[in-house]
Every structure is written in C-alpha cells, then in structure tokens.
Amino acid sequence: DSHNGGSNKVAKLDKHRSLTIIVPSELTSKESKKFRKDERRKARAQGISDDKITFVSKNRSINANNNSDTRKTNKNSTDPENEEHTDNNNNNNINKPKKSFPRINDLLNQHAQQQQQLQLRKHRLSNSTSSNIPSALKQKYIAIDCEMVGIGPTSTKSALARASAVDYDGNILLDTFVRVPERVTDFRTSVSGVRPKDISVKNVNAMDPEEVRNKIGKLLLGKILVGHALKNDLDALMITHPRGDMRDTARYKPFMRATGRSGGKLRPRKLRDLVWEELGKRIQVEGESHSSVDDARASMELFRCVRERWEKELEGKGGGGRRRKTAKKKESIK
C-alpha cells in the first residue's frame, strides 16, 4: 500500500506490474477526473502501461468486501430460511418470461399478405379506370371538397375559405379561394393550407361566398355528388343536395369500421386511412397542409373502385334515401 501526500487513495502493486488505485469518494466528478489523470501520469513514470491500471471507488471497494463476506457466510450457513430464499430466487428466474422473437415462417406469411394486399390494390385501381365507361356516364359524377378557417372568439365556428370540384377523371372543374366576410381568428394553415393573403379582399383571384355558391350549385345541378363527409362541405357552402344523389365515402358501409371488439356501431374512417388501405396512396401527410383538390380526387378515386357495386346496391334498395322516403309518402297518401 502507498499513501501520497496524506490523501485517501490506496495503491497496490503486484508482481505482474498491475496497479489498482482507489479513488476517494469525497471527490467531485471533475476532481475525480483530474485525480485519475494525475495517477496515470505517475504510473507511466514507473513504467506501468495504461491497460495495467484499474481505478476503483472507495465505496465500491468497501461494498465489494462486505458482499464477499456475506457470500461466504451464506455459503457456510445451513439456515433453512436462507435456503428458502435461494429457492425463491431460482423460481423467479425460472418463471421470468423469455423475450420472444418472430419466427421466420411468420415473417414470410406477413410478407405474403403484404404482397397479396398490393396485388388487390392494383386490381382495384385497374377496375377503377374509366376507359370503358361512356362519357355520358362520367358526366353524371362530380366530387367536391372544401377547406375552412376558424371564426368567432373561440375559433370553433368554421367559414369557407377554399372550394374545389373535380370530374370523374379527376380533372379540375373549379378551384378557388373564398373571401371570408367575417374576421378570421384561426387560419388553420397547418391543416387547411390557407394563408391570410389567399382570402384577403385584395386577392383578385379569390371569389365571394355567394359567387362560389352559385358556381358549385350550377355544377351540381342534376349530378351525383361524390365526397368524404359531405355534410361538412355542404354546410360550409350553405347549399343542399338530394340525398339520393349523394355518394359519401365516409358513410359507405364497406368503408366504415365497427367500434369495439365484438362489433357495434359503424363509424366513419379518415379519408387518409381509406386511401392508403384501398389505393396504396399517401395524402394528408402529417406536417403538410391539406389540398382540397387532392382530397376531392381521392374521394372520386375511392368511389370509382366500388362504383358498380355501390350503384347496384342502391338500385336494389329503390334508388336511395330521399327517393325511398318520397315513395313511402306516396303510398301512405294512397
């Protein structure tokens, strides 16, 4: 053992020229670092290389000695309580669940399912192509989507800020920003993509709400309206449309999902999730603004995938909502 300058460190030098240095426990981390550096320098001066130097904290050395004594005592002890404690530890180790890893067969099956879903998406897209559909039939369908901004003191009330309409093939029929007559308290730019200058009175390319309402109304006259959560868009436009002439992908049952483990009430799903699952496309990417044109096109593309089945279902039900109600009223009158 060696003592340098009355410090609490202890150094042990064995025949293999290895050195164990005990670091005083009262040193701060900065002081401990300096202590090790100084001791290495002294050891090098004695011809000892760095790989032969071991630093041990004073508390750790004391605890190690205590643990060693405890192990010896337990080894020599025949106390049944100690034996029971050892058995319990062994049982705990045995009962500890092992970390599970996926099996190669599971990974292969998962890959096969992904490939099958990809082929299904391609098949749906090929069926949704409009090359074999008569142009007169295409002209029956129009999809719309709107972007809103927040107004009022709490910004919970919405006002129309952008309106878009596309045809069956996704060609733009109308896409315009809308001037908001009231004071906007939340532009919702991160979601809506609407900036103050877009709906400013000075923007000559923007339209007044009444003008947009008239244009959309003329486009939808005698047409079948396609969209996702159409109630929100129609409320923003402040217009109505015959229920039997609406194809809302948020309300189409095969696109909806039951809540709860054992089923339950069907709930609408997000357009983003539907488009990814059914078409394999990404829209409304997190961190990017929404585009009413992209959303309208996505709704129309979803509808094209199931158009034939959807229309047949409506024909089997007698043409849909409002028309069925009208027929029931006529029967009751008779």
Side-chain angles (χ1 to χ4, degrees):
D1 297 344
S2 62
H3 301 275
N4 295 328
S7 65
N8 292 328
K9 69 178 185 296
V10 178
K12 297 179 180 180
L13 189 64
D14 59 22
K15 61 182 180 180
H16 299 290
R17 301 290 293 172
S18 63
L19 186 63
T20 301
I21 301 174
I22 298 177
V23 182
S25 59
E26 65 271 11
L27 297 180
T28 63
S29 59
K30 188 174 182 180
E31 292 171 344
S32 177
K33 186 176 180 180
K34 186 177 183 301
F35 175 84
R36 288 182 172 87
K37 186 176 180 181
D38 294 339
E39 292 303 318
R40 285 194 189 95
R41 190 183 298 111
K42 293 176 182 178
R44 292 191 197 106
Q46 297 176 12
I48 303 174
S49 60
D50 290 350
D51 59 340
K52 297 293 184 180
I53 303 174
T54 304
F55 291 96
V56 180
S57 63
K58 188 173 183 179
N59 290 339
R60 181 180 171 187
S61 178
I62 294 172
N63 291 336
N65 292 332
N66 291 338
N67 291 337
S68 177
D69 294 339
T70 303
R71 283 195 298 270
K72 290 178 181 178
T73 303
N74 291 338
K75 185 176 180 180
N76 296 328
S77 175
T78 57
D79 189 353
E81 292 183 359
N82 290 337
E83 293 179 0
E84 182 179 355
H85 180 68
T86 304
D87 292 339
N88 290 336
N89 288 338
N90 293 335
N91 291 334
N92 290 336
N93 292 332
I94 294 173
N95 296 331
K96 187 176 180 180
K98 295 182 180 180
K99 189 174 181 180
S100 60
F101 295 94
R103 295 182 299 175
I104 185 65
N105 289 338
D106 295 337
L107 294 175
L108 291 174
N109 291 334
Q110 184 180 0
H111 178 71
Q113 291 177 359
Q114 291 175 350
Q115 292 298 317
Q116 187 177 3
Q117 290 178 357
L118 183 61
Q119 293 298 327
L120 181 60
R121 288 171 183 168
K122 290 180 179 179
H123 179 67
R124 287 172 178 168
L125 288 174
S126 63
N127 289 341
S128 68
T129 56
S130 55
S131 57
N132 299 326
I133 299 175
S135 58
L137 184 59
K138 293 182 185 180
Q139 293 174 5
K140 289 175 56 178
Y141 300 99
I142 290 179
I144 67 168
D145 190 79
C146 299
E147 299 294 345
M148 278 74 82
V149 292
I151 58 176
T154 59
S155 303
T156 54
K157 190 177 178 181
S158 297
L160 180 66
R162 183 182 178 183
S164 303
V166 299
D167 64 9
Y168 191 85
D169 293 319
N171 300 313
I172 297 175
L173 302 176
L174 176 71
D175 181 32
T176 180
F177 287 106
V178 184
R179 301 185 189 99
V180 181
E182 301 181 49
R183 179 176 174 269
V184 178
T185 52
D186 186 2
F187 286 90
R188 305 173 184 171
T189 306
S190 59
V191 177
S192 67
V194 178
R195 300 164 296 178
K197 66 178 183 179
D198 295 328
I199 57 177
S200 171
V201 180
K202 298 179 181 179
N203 185 3
V204 295
N205 295 321
M207 294 184 183
D208 292 325
E210 188 66 27
E211 185 180 3
V212 175
R213 195 174 301 118
N214 291 334
K215 284 184 175 293
I216 294 286
K218 290 179 181 179
L219 286 173
L220 296 181
L221 192 61
K223 307 290 186 180
I224 294 177
L225 175 60
V226 179
H228 193 80
L230 283 170
K231 183 181 183 303
N232 298 331
D233 300 317
L234 294 176
D235 287 348
L237 289 164
M238 290 189 284
I239 62 175
T240 59
H241 199 70
R243 185 177 178 182
D245 292 335
M246 292 170 60
R247 306 291 183 266
D248 193 339
T249 54
R251 294 293 175 182
Y252 184 50
K253 286 186 178 180
F255 287 161
M256 300 173 76
R257 177 172 291 170
T259 55
R261 295 181 179 178
S262 58
K265 187 176 179 180
L266 292 174
R267 299 287 183 183
R269 300 177 61 196
K270 293 182 179 180
L271 178 63
R272 174 188 60 196
D273 298 338
L274 277 175
V275 170
W276 170 246
E277 182 176 307
E278 300 292 330
L279 306 175
K281 294 183 178 181
R282 296 284 190 188
I283 64 168
Q284 299 179 358
V285 179
E286 188 174 353
E288 297 181 7
S289 302
H290 295 190
S291 168
S292 51
V293 172
D294 292 343
D295 292 352
R297 284 172 172 165
S299 299
M300 182 62 83
E301 197 166 352
L302 278 174
F303 172 72
R304 291 204 306 258
C305 291
V306 294
R307 182 189 64 82
E308 292 185 10
R309 183 174 61 174
W310 198 338
E311 296 297 350
K312 286 180 180 179
E313 289 175 0
L314 291 177
E315 288 176 6
K317 294 177 181 179
R322 182 168 293 183
R323 293 174 184 173
R324 294 198 307 275
K325 290 181 180 179
T326 305
K328 288 181 180 179
K329 286 182 180 178
K330 289 181 179 178
E331 289 176 1
S332 63
I333 292 172
K334 290 179 181 179

CSV table of all heavy atoms in Angstrom, one decimal, residues 12-20 42-54:
chain,number,residue,atom,x,y,z
A,12,LYS,N,-2.1,-0.5,-4.9
A,12,LYS,CA,-1.5,-1.8,-4.7
A,12,LYS,C,-0.7,-2.2,-6.0
A,12,LYS,O,-1.3,-2.2,-7.0
A,12,LYS,CB,-2.6,-2.8,-4.4
A,12,LYS,CG,-3.3,-2.5,-3.1
A,12,LYS,CD,-4.4,-3.5,-2.8
A,12,LYS,CE,-5.2,-3.1,-1.6
A,12,LYS,NZ,-6.2,-4.1,-1.3
A,13,LEU,N,0.5,-2.7,-5.8
A,13,LEU,CA,1.3,-3.0,-6.9
A,13,LEU,C,1.7,-4.5,-6.8
A,13,LEU,O,2.3,-4.9,-5.8
A,13,LEU,CB,2.6,-2.2,-6.9
A,13,LEU,CG,3.5,-2.3,-8.1
A,13,LEU,CD1,2.8,-1.8,-9.4
A,13,LEU,CD2,4.8,-1.5,-7.9
A,14,ASP,N,1.3,-5.3,-7.7
A,14,ASP,CA,1.6,-6.8,-7.6
A,14,ASP,C,2.7,-7.1,-8.5
A,14,ASP,O,3.3,-6.3,-9.2
A,14,ASP,CB,0.3,-7.6,-8.0
A,14,ASP,CG,-0.2,-7.3,-9.4
A,14,ASP,OD1,0.6,-6.8,-10.2
A,14,ASP,OD2,-1.4,-7.6,-9.6
A,15,LYS,N,3.0,-8.4,-8.5
A,15,LYS,CA,4.2,-8.9,-9.3
A,15,LYS,C,4.1,-8.8,-10.8
A,15,LYS,O,5.1,-8.8,-11.5
A,15,LYS,CB,4.5,-10.3,-8.9
A,15,LYS,CG,3.4,-11.3,-9.2
A,15,LYS,CD,3.8,-12.7,-8.8
A,15,LYS,CE,2.7,-13.7,-9.1
A,15,LYS,NZ,3.0,-15.0,-8.7
A,16,HIS,N,2.9,-8.7,-11.3
A,16,HIS,CA,2.7,-8.5,-12.7
A,16,HIS,C,2.7,-7.1,-13.1
A,16,HIS,O,2.4,-6.8,-14.3
A,16,HIS,CB,1.3,-9.1,-13.1
A,16,HIS,CG,1.2,-10.6,-12.8
A,16,HIS,ND1,2.0,-11.6,-13.5
A,16,HIS,CD2,0.5,-11.3,-11.8
A,16,HIS,CE1,1.7,-12.8,-13.0
A,16,HIS,NE2,0.8,-12.6,-12.0
A,17,ARG,N,3.1,-6.2,-12.2
A,17,ARG,CA,3.2,-4.8,-12.5
A,17,ARG,C,1.8,-4.2,-12.9
A,17,ARG,O,1.7,-3.3,-13.7
A,17,ARG,CB,4.2,-4.5,-13.6
A,17,ARG,CG,5.6,-5.0,-13.3
A,17,ARG,CD,6.3,-4.1,-12.3
A,17,ARG,NE,6.5,-2.8,-12.7
A,17,ARG,CZ,6.9,-1.8,-12.0
A,17,ARG,NH1,7.1,-2.0,-10.7
A,17,ARG,NH2,7.1,-0.6,-12.4
A,18,SER,N,0.7,-4.7,-12.3
A,18,SER,CA,-0.6,-4.1,-12.5
A,18,SER,C,-0.9,-3.2,-11.2
A,18,SER,O,-0.4,-3.6,-10.1
A,18,SER,CB,-1.6,-5.2,-12.6
A,18,SER,OG,-1.7,-6.0,-11.5
A,19,LEU,N,-1.6,-2.2,-11.4
A,19,LEU,CA,-1.8,-1.2,-10.3
A,19,LEU,C,-3.3,-1.0,-10.1
A,19,LEU,O,-4.1,-0.7,-11.1
A,19,LEU,CB,-1.2,0.1,-10.7
A,19,LEU,CG,-1.2,1.2,-9.6
A,19,LEU,CD1,-0.4,0.7,-8.4
A,19,LEU,CD2,-0.5,2.5,-10.2
A,20,THR,N,-3.8,-1.1,-8.9
A,20,THR,CA,-5.2,-0.9,-8.6
A,20,THR,C,-5.2,0.4,-7.7
A,20,THR,O,-4.5,0.4,-6.6
A,20,THR,CB,-5.8,-2.0,-7.8
A,20,THR,OG1,-5.8,-3.2,-8.7
A,20,THR,CG2,-7.3,-1.7,-7.5
A,42,LYS,N,1.7,9.4,-13.1
A,42,LYS,CA,2.7,8.8,-12.1
A,42,LYS,C,3.0,7.4,-12.5
A,42,LYS,O,4.1,6.9,-12.3
A,42,LYS,CB,2.1,8.9,-10.7
A,42,LYS,CG,2.0,10.4,-10.2
A,42,LYS,CD,1.4,10.4,-8.9
A,42,LYS,CE,1.2,11.9,-8.4
A,42,LYS,NZ,0.5,11.9,-7.1
A,43,ALA,N,1.9,6.6,-12.8
A,43,ALA,CA,2.1,5.2,-13.1
A,43,ALA,C,3.0,5.0,-14.4
A,43,ALA,O,3.8,4.1,-14.4
A,43,ALA,CB,0.8,4.5,-13.3
A,44,ARG,N,2.8,5.9,-15.4
A,44,ARG,CA,3.6,5.8,-16.6
A,44,ARG,C,5.1,6.0,-16.2
A,44,ARG,O,6.0,5.4,-16.8
A,44,ARG,CB,3.1,6.8,-17.6
A,44,ARG,CG,1.8,6.4,-18.2
A,44,ARG,CD,1.5,7.3,-19.4
A,44,ARG,NE,0.1,7.3,-19.7
A,44,ARG,CZ,-0.8,8.3,-19.5
A,44,ARG,NH1,-0.3,9.4,-18.9
A,44,ARG,NH2,-2.0,8.2,-19.9
A,45,ALA,N,5.3,7.0,-15.3
A,45,ALA,CA,6.7,7.3,-14.9
A,45,ALA,C,7.3,6.1,-14.2
A,45,ALA,O,8.6,5.9,-14.3
A,45,ALA,CB,6.7,8.5,-13.9
A,46,GLN,N,6.5,5.2,-13.6
A,46,GLN,CA,7.0,4.0,-13.0
A,46,GLN,C,7.1,2.8,-14.0
A,46,GLN,O,7.5,1.7,-13.6
A,46,GLN,CB,6.1,3.5,-11.8
A,46,GLN,CG,6.1,4.6,-10.7
A,46,GLN,CD,5.1,4.2,-9.6
A,46,GLN,OE1,4.7,3.1,-9.6
A,46,GLN,NE2,4.9,5.1,-8.7
A,47,GLY,N,6.8,3.0,-15.2
A,47,GLY,CA,6.9,2.0,-16.3
A,47,GLY,C,5.7,1.1,-16.4
A,47,GLY,O,5.7,0.0,-16.9
A,48,ILE,N,4.5,1.6,-15.8
A,48,ILE,CA,3.3,0.8,-15.9
A,48,ILE,C,2.4,1.4,-17.0
A,48,ILE,O,2.2,2.5,-17.1
A,48,ILE,CB,2.5,0.9,-14.6
A,48,ILE,CG1,3.5,0.3,-13.4
A,48,ILE,CG2,1.3,0.0,-14.6
A,48,ILE,CD1,2.8,0.5,-12.1
A,49,SER,N,2.0,0.5,-17.9
A,49,SER,CA,1.1,0.9,-19.0
A,49,SER,C,-0.3,1.2,-18.6
A,49,SER,O,-0.7,0.7,-17.5
A,49,SER,CB,1.2,-0.1,-20.2
A,49,SER,OG,0.7,-1.4,-19.7
A,50,ASP,N,-1.1,1.9,-19.4
A,50,ASP,CA,-2.4,2.3,-19.0
A,50,ASP,C,-3.4,1.0,-18.9
A,50,ASP,O,-4.3,1.0,-18.0
A,50,ASP,CB,-3.1,3.2,-20.1
A,50,ASP,CG,-2.4,4.6,-20.0
A,50,ASP,OD1,-1.6,4.8,-19.1
A,50,ASP,OD2,-2.7,5.4,-20.9
A,51,ASP,N,-3.1,0.0,-19.7
A,51,ASP,CA,-4.0,-1.2,-19.6
A,51,ASP,C,-3.8,-2.0,-18.3
A,51,ASP,O,-4.6,-2.9,-18.0
A,51,ASP,CB,-3.8,-2.1,-20.8
A,51,ASP,CG,-2.4,-2.6,-20.9
A,51,ASP,OD1,-1.5,-1.9,-20.3
A,51,ASP,OD2,-2.2,-3.6,-21.6
A,52,LYS,N,-2.7,-1.7,-17.5
A,52,LYS,CA,-2.5,-2.4,-16.3
A,52,LYS,C,-3.0,-1.6,-15.1
A,52,LYS,O,-2.9,-2.0,-13.9
A,52,LYS,CB,-1.0,-2.6,-16.1
A,52,LYS,CG,-0.3,-3.5,-17.1
A,52,LYS,CD,-0.9,-4.9,-17.0
A,52,LYS,CE,-0.1,-5.8,-18.0
A,52,LYS,NZ,-0.7,-7.2,-17.9
A,53,ILE,N,-3.6,-0.4,-15.3
A,53,ILE,CA,-4.1,0.5,-14.3
A,53,ILE,C,-5.6,0.3,-14.1
A,53,ILE,O,-6.4,0.3,-15.1
A,53,ILE,CB,-3.8,1.9,-14.5
A,53,ILE,CG1,-2.3,2.1,-14.8
A,53,ILE,CG2,-4.3,2.8,-13.4
A,53,ILE,CD1,-1.9,3.5,-15.2
A,54,THR,N,-6.1,0.0,-12.9
A,54,THR,CA,-7.5,-0.1,-12.6
A,54,THR,C,-7.9,0.8,-11.5
A,54,THR,O,-7.2,0.9,-10.5
A,54,THR,CB,-7.8,-1.6,-12.1
A,54,THR,OG1,-7.4,-2.5,-13.2
A,54,THR,CG2,-9.3,-1.7,-11.9
